Amino acid sequence: MPLPGLLYAQVVKQYRRKCVVRVKHRVVFGTMGAIEQVLSGCGWKINTAFVERLNLDIRQRVAAIGRRVNTLCQGEAGLQQQLVLFQVYHNFVVPHASLRQACAEPMATAGRGSAKRWRPCTPAMAAGLTDHVWSLKEVLLYRVPPWPQPQVR
């Protein structure tokens, strides 16, 4: 069962001779009013751009999912591991241009070009999970704390 606050809509496209002739929005969870209210706060509308961009990133960076690849994942566990690594890389290592933040004042670059006007930002930074862009080395050397173990009586 989905969480009660989940808002989910679909874009249904109708094609005629390989051209889109009509686009309809279908609400799966929530109400159209609630979805439009959340999206209008960001200046967005219901569309597939975000999902399509994520699908492209996954196909490009996860070998087992790419089209016409000659690498195989070793079962479901191998695919799961590749997807987890992609998720961490995508959210902690890769700065996203749409999330960048303007600097209060331009920062000098030690003679390597013009002053920096933007601070790179990752989705994890935007969510408040970290305060800097991680390096891949930092991700791979991070020690994950153990999960809480159930108390046995």
Side-chain angles (χ1 to χ4, degrees):
M1 291 297 297
L3 296 173
L6 178 66
L7 301 175
Y8 184 78
Q10 287 181 329
V11 176
V12 181
K13 297 178 183 177
Q14 290 185 338
Y15 293 90
R16 184 170 292 134
R17 296 184 185 156
K18 298 182 182 180
C19 292
V20 176
V21 292
R22 194 162 87 195
V23 176
K24 290 178 14 181
H25 299 126
R26 181 174 156 257
V27 176
V28 179
F29 296 112
T31 64
M32 183 61 84
I35 292 171
E36 288 176 348
Q37 181 181 5
V38 169
L39 293 176
S40 67
C42 304
W44 297 339
K45 293 189 263 183
I46 298 172
N47 65 52
T48 60
F50 302 113
V51 173
E52 295 298 334
R53 179 71 231 181
L54 183 61
N55 287 344
L56 176 63
D57 285 346
I58 291 173
R59 276 198 318 270
Q60 288 178 332
R61 294 191 171 105
V62 180
I65 293 180
R67 296 181 180 158
R68 297 188 190 117
V69 296
N70 50 356
T71 58
L72 299 173
C73 67
Q74 301 296 318
E76 187 176 334
L79 177 60
Q80 182 82 19
Q81 291 169 354
Q82 288 184 33
L83 288 172
V84 167
L85 185 59
F86 164 76
Q87 185 177 15
V88 172
Y89 179 77
H90 182 78
N91 289 314
F92 284 84
V93 178
V94 179
H96 295 235
S98 62
L99 298 175
R100 68 184 185 175
Q101 300 167 343
C103 295
E105 56 187 55
M107 298 185 316
T109 57
R112 289 179 279 155
S114 59
K116 288 174 62 174
R117 295 183 176 190
W118 300 97
R119 177 177 175 250
C121 188
T122 64
M125 292 170 65
L129 299 175
T130 184
D131 61 348
H132 65 284
V133 177
W134 288 31
S135 67
L136 187 56
K137 180 178 180 180
E138 190 175 2
V139 167
L140 295 174
L141 294 177
Y142 182 76
R143 287 188 61 126
V144 178
W147 294 103
Q149 300 297 316
Q151 299 298 320
V152 179
R153 295 183 198 193

